[in-house]
Amino acid sequence: MIGKQKIIVVGGGVIGNSIGYFLARNYNQCVTIVDPVGIAPAASGKAGGFLALEWRDDDDDMRGLHRRGFELHDELAQSNELNGIA
């Protein structure tokens, strides 16, 4: 088993924040997220929260990934509400 690591994630967008969140939550790791501009400064911060379950149903290659992302969004929202974050 790997001990607690000091991890730096470079990039404060949705991918960097997701990596940091899941490393901390699932593996109890100490994570620092750095971005030269700030957290969610570009496309990740401008998406407006748009999600649609059937958005990629016409693309066989992306359907499963898109649906899993949609499910994860719901799981994160419920988990954060239970933890008093939302």
Side-chain angles (χ1 to χ4, degrees):
M1 175 177 226
I2 297 174
K4 196 164 193 165
Q5 305 291 312
K6 292 181 181 176
I7 299 170
I8 296 175
V9 175
V10 179
V14 68
I15 300 300
N17 278 285
S18 294
I19 290 168
Y21 175 83
F22 283 106
L23 283 171
R25 187 187 81 173
N26 294 348
Y27 300 101
N28 194 32
Q29 298 299 312
C30 179
V31 179
T32 301
I33 298 171
V34 295
D35 191 290
V37 179
I39 299 299
S44 294
K46 313 282 187 288
F50 176 75
L51 294 172
L53 181 59
E54 295 85 15
W55 189 29
R56 299 301 302 251
D57 275 358
D58 61 333
D59 186 337
D60 290 339
D61 294 329
M62 295 296 293
R63 182 182 303 117
L65 179 63
H66 177 76
R67 285 184 172 262
R68 181 61 186 134
F70 192 88
E71 293 166 2
L72 271 174
H73 186 271
D74 187 48
E75 290 172 21
L76 287 170
Q78 289 179 26
S79 172
N80 288 335
E81 286 174 5
L82 293 174
N83 291 324
I85 296 172

